[in-house]
């Protein structure tokens, strides 16, 4: 059989690692992308302001 | 207006999908190969299924939450093998729906408890553990000896087991109730049927010491006596190589 | 509760109640020869109750004010009380069974009160009853504030809240009757599980619907965590609970998987329930209430995002560390161990982020017990994630597994992190929600803080000792090369620690009762008279003064 246990395990072991690295790169890029900085700052500060009413 | 709204919605859906994908892959990579694991589970010739009485005993073990304090998994560590017996093999719980490996040993591991004590010891111990083991902190299970075992829908139990993949024969399903009764009632007419369907080595005894009624105690003790005894493979001499690498 | 609903919404409640009633009645008839017949009556009662409440209020006046001008907080208010009531119930059972481990006859002789049936009632009561209701209540509050949008439905939040509590009740009453799947932290049987899926899908729908109405393109990070909690718990719940019931009329089912697959599925669930129920959701809580209470933005928003994906990603692989040295294949054990160790990075990033947010406001932490609850929560979060990664290392696990060390670890997370962040958030939230100037008694909060902290420390230290002694006794050899201690000797050695644990638990329980009293008295205080925004006045509040 082509798709046996060993194939699955080998796939898990190898591509699992690539996936881990790729995933980390994407997340770090997103978090440190310069254009996102203002957006993050705005979000962090937005909850401190208090208007206890939905925006109209 | 519609456009910005659409874009906003897209963000939240993307977030949801991202979470599913990122978290899902870990689970898949780790669990998917286990479904082809039959290929690595040890081969056994002598593995039998639980008898209906033992299965009901197992259900009582589950209902009473025994798994919260007793594991059924001897790890591959020298001290555990010396304390309890041969380490547990994957094949031993092949028919366990659900598994009862447990996570805590407030009491000792039970993977090798089968055939270790007498029925009378188990009955006395379950009625009041401190009669047998003076400093035990186990709860008393006196009501088990007084409660008759519910046996009428045993065929349904075996049928459901069949559906999840346990190889019960249709004959075993049909005779489930009769077999449960016969296993706890020695010298009864059904005794030969039990031995024929589940093997000559099957315990046929009045487990609670009273052959007249089949109680929950009968079932639980029947189960305790078969734990780790469904196959003799773990006890074979040549079973020293590590599994699952 | 019903005053904010229009009459068509009240009709919807009656319709939903009717559907539950009919469903429950059908189940009761199908299961008339089984214990299911009795248990299904809970559905009938719940449906009937919804119909009665809806019908009695059907012709009462409709809400006069424009509802879109305000947030919808009634479900959060009820959720806070439900959380605290479940908390007291669950902690009471927990402390009872803690004493049972030192004095095993301190119970009744009937089956319902034996340790094995009480124990899942404790775990379900505190994790799902206390923790779950706290998550639902705060998530409704946070998602509206951060989206600046009102919940889009008035009926759905009630369905989610009460439906969820019906699930918890089905679970706990089931255990008392011996109905359980024996899957740790997923004990309720198939019909309760299906019911939870319905509730949970509604919860997700409601949450994403509210987010879709938000006014900003960026979604505040708390919502990411709440969303991960909702979504992943749904996946875990469905996969782990796959089972075949004997029939539609039987409470009993057999799990689809068996043996090693089943063990792996169960602990994949079990560990990720810790990750996404007991961590992600409560981090969402922390990322909103901590900055809000401290009046300082989160130290690093970027770090909160990075650790979010780290947690979402790493946790899923870690479950197999519950099965070291078992019949599970070695590579899966090693994978679980490696990822458990890596998990320390996003975990400490989150804990550090919380503490750094407080940096510069330590004088407020000193004076404000509410902020102190949150700080201690972050510290315990850091401690127990470190301990968790440590215990996932195979050789360490060979000592710690199966012992009370594991139980101590869990409680350092559950009491120190989960419960502390809940109490901190509740004390911050209650005056805002009820528009009171402050909590009823700052002194009671102070007392609660010290009771909770003392209880946690006593508990955790007792079980550290217990677990390590137990683990060592099991593996100690004589000079002659035989095992030095019998199993019973290790049991006897536990007694003083079990007593200490019972005392620690009692302190913690007492604190929770004070919390409920304090919240109740706060809701009975006069509304704040000045009309300025409540949030602003809370900002300058110093309860300890």
């Amino acid at each position: 059989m082509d798709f046996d246990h060993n194939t699955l395990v080998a796939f898990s072991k190898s591509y699992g690692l690539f996936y881990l690295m790729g995933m980390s790169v994407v997340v770090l890029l997103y978090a440190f992308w310069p254009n996102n900085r203002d957006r993050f700052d705005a979000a962090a500060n937005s909850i401190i302001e208090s208007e206890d009413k939905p925006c109209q | 207006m519609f456009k910005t709204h659409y874009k906003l919605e897209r963000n939240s859906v993307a977030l949801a999908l991202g979470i599913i994908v990122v978290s899902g892959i870990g689970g898949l990579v780790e669990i998917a190969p286990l479904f082809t694991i039959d290929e690595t589970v040890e081969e056994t010739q002598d593995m039998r299924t639980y008898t209906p009485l033992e299965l009901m005993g197992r259900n009582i073990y589950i209902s009473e939450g025994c798994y919260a304090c007793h594991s059924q998994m001897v790890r591959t560590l020298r001290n555990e093998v010396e304390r309890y017996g041969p380490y547990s093999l994957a094949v031993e719980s092949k028919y366990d729906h659900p598994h009862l490996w447990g996570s805590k040993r407030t009491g000792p591991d039970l993977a090798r408890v089968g055939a270790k004590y007498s029925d009378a010891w188990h009955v006395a111990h379950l009625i009041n553990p401190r009669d047998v083991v003076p400093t035990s902190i186990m709860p008393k299970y006196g009501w088990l000896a007084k409660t008759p075992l519910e046996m009428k829908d045993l065929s349904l139990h075996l049928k459901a087991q069949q559906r999840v993949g346990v190889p019960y024969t249709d004959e075993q399903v049909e005779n489930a109730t009769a077999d449960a009764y016969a296993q706890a009632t020695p010298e009864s007419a059904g005794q030969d049927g039990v031995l024929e369907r589940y093997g000559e080595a099957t315990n046929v005894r009045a487990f609670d010491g009273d052959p007249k009624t089949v109680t929950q105690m009968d079932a639980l003790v029947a189960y305790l006596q078969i734990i780790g005894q469904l196959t003799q493979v773990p006890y074979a001499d040549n079973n020293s190589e590590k599994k699952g690498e | 509760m019903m005053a904010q609903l229009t009459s068509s919404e009240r009709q919807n409640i009656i319709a939903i109640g009717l559907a539950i009633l009919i469903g429950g009645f059908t189940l009761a008839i199908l299961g008339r020869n089984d214990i299911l017949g009795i248990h299904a009556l809970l559905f009938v009662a719940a449906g009937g109750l919804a119909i009665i409440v809806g019908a009695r209020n059907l012709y009462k006046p409709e809400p006069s004010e424009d509802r879109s001008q305000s947030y919808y907080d009634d479900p959060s208010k009820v959720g806070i009380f439900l959380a605290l009531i479940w908390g007291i119930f669950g902690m009471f059972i927990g402390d009872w069974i803690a004493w049972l481990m030192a004095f095993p006859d301190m119970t009744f002789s009937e089956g319902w009160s034996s340790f094995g049936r009480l124990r899942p009632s404790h775990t379900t009561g505190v994790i799902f009853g206390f923790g779950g209701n706290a998550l639902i209540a705060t998530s409704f509050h946070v998602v509206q504030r951060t989206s600046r949008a009102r919940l889009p439905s008035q009926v759905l939040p009630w369905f989610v809240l009460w439906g969820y509590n019906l699930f918890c009740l089905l679970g706990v009453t089931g255990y008392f009757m011996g109905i359980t799947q024996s899957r740790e932290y997923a004990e309720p049987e198939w019909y309760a599980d299906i019911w939870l899926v319905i509730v949970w899908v509604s919860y997700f729908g409601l949450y994403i619907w509210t987010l879709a109405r938000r006014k900003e393109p960026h979604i505040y990070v708390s919502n990411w965590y709440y969303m991960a909690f909702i979504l992943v718990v749904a996946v875990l719940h469905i996969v782990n609970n796959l089972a075949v019931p004997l029939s539609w009329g039987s409470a009993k089912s057999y799990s689809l998987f068996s043996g090693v697959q089943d063990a792996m599925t169960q602990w994949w669930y079990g560990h990720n329930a810790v990750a996404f129920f007991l961590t992600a959701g409560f981090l969402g809580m922390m990322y909103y209430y901590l900055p809000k209470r401290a009046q300082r933005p989160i130290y690093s928003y970027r770090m909160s995002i990075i650790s979010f994906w780290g947690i979402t990603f790493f946790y899923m692989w870690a479950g197999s560390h519950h099965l070291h040295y078992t019949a599970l294949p070695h590579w899966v054990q090693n994978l679980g161990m490696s990822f458990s160790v890596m998990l320390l990075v996003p975990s400490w990033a989150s804990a550090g982020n919380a503490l750094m947010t407080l940096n510069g406001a330590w004088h407020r932490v000193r004076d404000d017990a509410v902020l102190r609850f949150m700080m201690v929560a972050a510290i315990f979060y850091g401690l127990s994630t470190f301990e968790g990664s440590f215990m996932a290392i195979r050789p360490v696990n060979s000592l710690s597994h199966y012992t009370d060390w594991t139980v101590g670890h869990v409680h350092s997370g559950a009491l120190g992190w989960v419960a502390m962040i809940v109490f901190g958030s509740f004390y911050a939230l209650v005056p805002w929600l009820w528009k009171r100037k402050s909590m009823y008694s700052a002194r009671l909060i102070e007392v609660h803080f010290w009771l909770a902290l003392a209880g946690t420390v006593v508990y955790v230290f007792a079980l550290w000792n217990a677990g390590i002694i137990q683990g060592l006794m099991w593996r100690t050899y004589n000079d002659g090369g035989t095992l030095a201690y019998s199993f019973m000797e290790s049991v006897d050695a536990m007694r003083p620690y079990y007593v200490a644990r019972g005392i620690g638990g009692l302190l913690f329980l007492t604190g929770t009762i004070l919390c409920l009293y304090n919240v109740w008295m706060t809701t009975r205080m006069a509304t704040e008279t000045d009309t300025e925004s409540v949030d602003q006045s809370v900002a300058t509040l110093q309860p300890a003064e």
Side-chain angles (χ1 to χ4, degrees), chain C residues 338-365:
Chain C
S338 320
F339 276 88
S340 305
V341 174
M342 284 195 264
L343 250 178
L344 192 57
V345 177
S347 301
W348 272 30
S350 308
N353 211 352
L355 293 176
M356 290 302 282
T357 305
L358 293 174
N359 196 18
W362 295 118
H363 61 287
R364 302 205 40 210
V365 176

Side-chain angles (χ1 to χ4, degrees), chain B residues 8 11 23 30 34 59 63-64 75-76 82-83 93-94 96-97 99 103-105 130 135 157 161, chain C residues 105 116-117 178 184 214 217 254-255 257-259 262 264 316-317 325 398 402 404 474 477 485 492:
Chain B
L8 290 179
N11 274 352
S23 61
E30 205 178 40
L34 293 182
N59 289 342
S63 281
E64 299 306 337
R75 295 182 292 174
T76 53
E82 286 180 13
R83 186 180 296 279
S93 46
K94 190 162 87 168
D96 284 5
H97 296 263
H99 81 284
S103 60
K104 177 77 190 350
R105 285 181 187 153
R130 280 159 291 289
T135 54
H157 281 268
Q161 289 263 310
Chain C
D105 289 327
R117 298 195 195 179
E184 285 186 72
R214 75 190 184 281
Y254 288 107
S255 69
F257 308 132
S258 72
D262 192 48
M264 188 57 229
M316 274 290 169
W317 308 62
Y325 302 98
S398 76
Y402 296 130
D404 279 297
W474 292 346
Y477 282 88
Y485 299 101
D492 297 341

Side-chain angles (χ1 to χ4, degrees), chain C residues 208-502:
Chain C
I208 201 151
W209 190 7
T210 315
L211 281 181
R213 287 156 56 106
R214 75 190 184 281
K215 307 300 177 214
E216 302 238 353
H218 184 77
I219 303 172
Y220 184 69
V221 72
S222 280
N223 294 309
W224 300 30
Y225 284 95
Y226 279 121
M227 189 100 110
F229 147 65
I230 297 169
L231 273 171
V232 182
V233 166
V235 175
L236 297 169
H237 173 75
I238 291 170
V239 174
N240 184 43
N241 283 303
L242 291 172
V244 175
L246 300 193
S247 72
W248 295 114
S250 169
K252 173 74 188 165
S253 69
Y254 288 107
S255 69
L256 186 59
F257 308 132
S258 72
V260 63
Q261 282 109 326
D262 192 48
M264 188 57 229
T265 313
Q266 148 69 33
W267 286 112
W268 167 77
Y269 166 89
H271 194 71
N272 287 298
V274 173
F276 290 93
F277 206 102
L278 295 175
T279 303
F282 293 95
L283 281 172
M285 206 184 271
M286 183 188 82
Y287 278 124
Y288 183 81
Y289 293 103
L290 178 86
K292 186 95 180 151
R293 180 75 184 187
Q295 283 295 298
R296 303 163 66 84
I298 194 77
Y299 170 70
S300 166
Y301 194 81
R302 277 174 183 159
M303 202 143 83
S304 70
I305 288 174
I306 297 171
S307 39
F308 172 79
W309 290 110
I311 285 171
T312 308
F313 176 73
F314 287 152
Y315 255 112
M316 274 290 169
W317 308 62
S320 52
H321 68 222
H322 288 256
L323 301 168
H324 281 329
Y325 302 98
T326 65
L328 187 76
H330 271 237
W331 71 271
V332 185
Q333 298 182 22
N334 286 332
L335 196 68
M337 172 171 84
S338 320
F339 276 88
S340 305
V341 174
M342 284 195 264
L343 250 178
L344 192 57
V345 177
S347 301
W348 272 30
S350 308
N353 211 352
L355 293 176
M356 290 302 282
T357 305
L358 293 174
N359 196 18
W362 295 118
H363 61 287
R364 302 205 40 210
V365 176
R366 188 193 60 209
D367 297 336
D368 181 2
V370 179
L371 219 43
R372 224 179 306 133
F373 262 116
M374 297 184 190
M375 181 199 71
V376 169
I379 291 175
F380 269 102
Y381 178 62
L383 285 177
S384 42
T385 48
F386 173 77
E387 193 187 15
S389 297
F390 183 61
M391 290 165 79
I393 300 169
R394 289 183 87 229
V396 181
N397 196 265
S398 76
L399 177 78
S400 74
H401 196 51
Y402 296 130
T403 73
D404 279 297
W405 188 356
T406 310
V407 184
H409 164 63
V410 169
H411 283 84
S412 125
L415 303 176
W417 154 239
V418 172
M420 297 275 193
I421 194 71
V422 169
F423 293 137
S425 301
F426 276 8
Y427 284 133
L429 176 57
V430 163
W432 299 339
L433 276 187
W434 271 274
K435 309 210 186 315
R436 304 291 189 264
K437 202 153 161 281
S438 65
M439 286 295 297
Y440 165 71
S441 163
R443 175 161 297 182
L444 275 181
I445 301 179
E446 196 70 35
V447 174
H448 179 193
F449 173 79
W450 290 108
L451 281 173
L453 186 61
T456 307
V457 169
V458 169
Y459 190 112
V460 171
F461 270 90
L463 289 200
W464 271 341
N465 277 299
I468 292 171
I469 291 175
Q470 226 171 2
L472 289 176
M473 286 178 87
W474 292 346
R475 58 159 60 172
T476 303
Y477 282 88
N478 284 325
D479 293 340
T482 54
L483 289 167
Y485 299 101
S486 72
F487 191 88
M488 275 320 293
E489 283 173 302
S490 78
V491 174
D492 297 341
M494 293 303 104
R495 191 176 292 263
Y497 305 109
Y498 286 162
V499 171
R501 182 247 296 267

Side-chain angles (χ1 to χ4, degrees), chain B residues 5-78:
Chain B
H5 195 232
Y6 177 74
K7 186 168 171 261
L8 290 179
E9 219 153 32
R10 213 173 46 187
N11 274 352
S12 48
V13 172
L15 176 62
L17 283 178
I19 293 169
I20 290 283
V21 170
V22 167
S23 61
I25 290 179
L28 274 181
V29 166
E30 205 178 40
I31 294 183
L34 293 182
F35 288 90
T36 50
I37 206 166
D38 326 8
E39 298 163 31
T40 65
V41 170
E42 308 80 357
E43 282 291 315
T44 48
Q45 303 304 318
D46 63 339
M47 179 83 181
R48 77 156 167 88
T49 55
Y50 294 106
T51 66
L53 186 70
E54 291 154 9
L55 186 67
M56 291 313 279
R58 193 169 191 276
N59 289 342
I60 293 167
Y61 185 98
I62 290 172
S63 281
E64 299 306 337
C66 305
Y67 60 87
C69 293
H70 294 284
S71 57
Q72 289 188 24
M73 171 50 63
V74 180
R75 295 182 292 174
T76 53
L77 299 168
R78 179 181 157 214

Side-chain angles (χ1 to χ4, degrees), chain A residues 7-49:
Chain A
T7 335
L8 267 178
V9 172
F11 182 83
S12 292
K13 286 181 179 173
S14 55
Y15 286 87
L17 187 66
F18 292 136
Y19 168 64
L20 165 72
M21 294 190 291
M23 169 78 205
S24 318
V25 170
V26 171
V27 169
L28 288 174
L29 275 179
Y30 173 73
F32 286 97
W33 201 256
N35 276 354
N36 284 340
R37 176 177 217 140
D38 293 343
R39 186 183 299 176
F40 292 160
D41 285 344
N45 285 301
S46 68
I47 63 157
I48 307 297
E49 303 152 13

